[in-house]
Amino acid sequence: MSLTNRILIAMVAGIAMGSIINMLMHATGVSAELKSMLDVYLVNGLFDVVGRIFIASLKLLVVPLVLVSLICGSSSLGDSARMGPIAAKTLTFYLATTAIAISLALFFAVLISPGSGVVLEGVAEFDAGPAPPLTDVLVDIFPSNPVRAMAEGKMLQIIVFALLFGYAISHAGEPGRRLAGFFRDVDAVIMKMVEVLMALAPYGVFALLSQLFSSMGIGAIMDLAAYFFTVLGVLLVHALGIYSLLLRVLAGLSPAILLRKMRPVWAFAFSTASSGATLPITLRTVEKRMGVHNSVAGFTVPLGATINMDGTAIMQGVATVFIAQVYGVDLSMGDFITVILTATLASIGTAAVPGVGLITLALVLEQAGLPVEGIALIIGVDRLLDMVRTAVNVTGDATVSVIVGKSENQFDQEVFDDPRADQLGDDRRDTPAVS
């Protein structure tokens, strides 16, 4: 059985196991001793330990992978003066897809009206914390201490430092060529570490989902079914429709191939609910299984994991309309335009802030003149939706990477089309890009 199928089976088994435990924990005929044993030894014992170790292992690779991949990519492009156009294309695509995502969300939310008929009672207070000023966001992009940036996991600062370092390598003559060879070797070793970790992924995925669903249960979805399935539906339309259309029109490639090769990445994204934690798997998949050269993928994928939040933008669009309907507030066309602009720009401005989805939603609600306390209405199902929108985010990262790689001739069509590259462990990463 392929590793992809084992991960998917572990994901389904984890959801089933967690749901069964949740039912046992709330069943009246189950003894208190058994409930205590399940809670202490299984949910908060075995599942918690395995899940946290798995997440820590993923995060372990993020900083060195981003740093080394970007240094390799920028050093190989330093003499060709293509880094500027690549960066401009990538940023444009990410912002454009985010604007499309929230526009779709607003359209379907108005069409479906998920907040109609919802009774407002006992809404809890919610404190999202202040969003950072735009001036601080811009200044914080540039590191004063790259070592501290790596220790604190500040991705934008790491990206800036790696780009500058790679550019300097490409212009340092013979010492630069020796150093570039060293980083290419380190990159190969880190990718092997990713491969080793992926072999253990089914156990981590099973533990994470078992713990989550044992505490939440499937029943949490039914309390906000209209909102939940509206967000879920728009996420699927954006991931399967918009990305596929962009890939076909702009790159002339088959969306079915890309979506098939994204299956293991989706499993990681769904179980971790973190684009950053999934970054090593996304980057490896984009390079080895989709044929995007490291000079492009090493920049587009880490940047996407930092600023590309199409899934979050969809949640914000539907949540804004939902909260407005619950509170009986009519949104004007100017309000909709404000929501689109605010959410699109906030995808960059608050990228490095913890709890980014809810913080940017609070910012959007304030701009639209809606009560921020309304966020408390959707918190119950936000964790489940966060898992799905993370899968949408990483799909956007891969799609933009392939489009930019194809436009820059830094793309291997044979690797993309090769069905053998759909198997994890394929050793074709070193295939040179078509030029």
Side-chain angles (χ1 to χ4, degrees):
M1 184 184 298
S2 68
L3 180 58
T4 300
N5 290 334
R6 285 194 286 134
I7 292 174
L8 295 176
I9 290 174
M11 186 170 64
V12 174
I15 294 173
M17 172 66 77
S19 301
I20 292 172
I21 293 175
N22 181 266
M23 287 188 290
L24 290 175
M25 296 288 286
H26 293 86
T28 55
V30 179
S31 66
E33 290 80 7
L34 179 58
K35 292 180 180 180
S36 177
M37 290 179 62
L38 289 173
D39 181 57
V40 174
Y41 295 106
L42 202 58
V43 177
N44 293 306
L46 179 63
F47 293 157
D48 181 57
V49 170
V50 174
R52 283 197 289 171
I53 290 176
F54 178 61
I55 292 293
S57 301
L58 285 173
K59 290 182 176 180
L60 165 72
L61 297 176
V62 170
V63 170
L65 183 63
V66 170
L67 179 70
V68 174
S69 292
L70 273 176
I71 288 175
C72 292
S74 59
S75 63
S76 64
L77 281 176
D79 287 330
S80 66
R82 293 304 303 165
M83 182 54 70
I86 289 175
K89 288 181 183 179
T90 304
L91 189 60
T92 300
F93 278 127
Y94 282 145
L95 291 178
T97 56
T98 301
I100 293 172
I102 195 166
S103 300
L104 273 178
L106 292 172
F107 173 78
F108 280 104
V110 171
L111 184 67
I112 297 172
S113 298
S116 298
V118 176
V119 179
L120 184 64
E121 55 182 39
V123 178
E125 292 290 327
F126 177 81
D127 182 14
L134 180 59
T135 53
D136 291 350
V137 171
L138 293 175
V139 172
D140 197 50
I141 291 175
F142 299 92
S144 59
N145 186 334
V147 176
R148 185 174 65 184
M150 286 183 275
E152 296 177 354
K154 293 186 175 181
M155 283 297 118
L156 288 176
Q157 293 188 5
I158 296 172
I159 289 173
V160 169
F161 173 74
L163 291 176
L164 292 174
F165 196 81
Y167 179 83
I169 286 178
S170 67
H171 290 76
E174 182 59 31
R177 285 189 286 273
R178 290 197 302 269
L179 199 55
F182 167 77
F183 277 108
R184 284 194 293 269
D185 291 341
V186 174
D187 187 44
V189 173
I190 293 176
M191 282 297 180
K192 178 59 66 173
M193 292 176 64
V194 174
E195 189 174 324
V196 171
L197 179 61
M198 292 180 74
L200 303 175
Y203 308 102
V205 169
F206 175 79
L208 285 170
L209 294 181
S210 295
Q211 185 186 32
L212 175 65
F213 280 86
S214 63
S215 60
M216 295 189 64
I218 298 293
I221 298 175
M222 304 314 297
D223 296 333
L224 291 167
Y227 167 78
F228 181 89
F229 288 108
T230 300
V231 176
L232 184 62
V234 181
L235 287 171
L236 293 177
V237 168
H238 192 69
L240 304 180
I242 299 300
Y243 290 147
S244 297
L245 182 64
L246 291 175
L247 189 68
R248 174 66 73 182
V249 173
L250 299 179
L253 299 172
S254 169
I257 295 177
L258 182 140
L259 295 175
R260 185 178 70 247
K261 294 186 176 185
M262 284 298 295
R263 287 185 302 168
V265 185
W266 288 339
F268 275 87
F270 187 80
S271 57
T272 61
S274 170
S275 298
T278 313
L279 193 152
I281 316 302
T282 308
L283 182 57
R284 182 181 185 275
T285 300
V286 169
E287 288 187 23
K288 287 193 67 171
R289 305 175 70 196
M290 297 183 188
V292 181
H293 195 265
N294 174 262
S295 59
V296 171
F299 174 75
T300 57
V301 175
L303 184 65
T306 308
I307 70 170
N308 180 42
M309 300 195 301
D310 290 0
T312 302
I314 288 171
M315 178 274 291
Q316 292 167 354
V318 177
T320 299
V321 175
F322 174 77
I323 292 171
Q325 291 171 348
V326 171
Y327 281 91
V329 178
D330 292 327
L331 296 175
S332 65
M333 183 57 66
D335 292 328
F336 287 130
I337 295 175
T338 299
V339 169
I340 293 172
L341 293 176
T342 303
T344 302
L345 296 177
S347 66
I348 296 179
T350 55
V353 180
V356 62
L358 296 179
I359 289 178
T360 52
L361 177 56
L363 181 62
V364 169
L365 292 177
E366 287 180 352
Q367 293 298 315
L370 294 172
V372 177
E373 292 77 12
I375 296 178
L377 292 168
I378 64 173
I379 287 180
V381 295
D382 188 69
R383 181 64 174 84
L384 297 176
L385 289 172
D386 192 19
M387 300 159 75
V388 182
R389 63 181 183 250
T390 302
V392 173
N393 290 344
V394 297
T395 305
D397 298 344
T399 302
V400 170
S401 298
V402 171
I403 293 173
V404 174
K406 183 75 183 295
S407 70
E408 290 291 326
N409 242 2
Q410 298 291 315
F411 174 76
D412 194 324
Q413 182 80 45
E414 290 185 6
V415 174
F416 184 84
D417 293 333
D418 188 359
R420 293 182 299 119
D422 192 38
Q423 299 296 318
L424 299 177
D426 187 4
D427 203 19
R428 298 193 55 179
R429 179 173 179 274
D430 294 327
T431 304
V434 177
S435 61

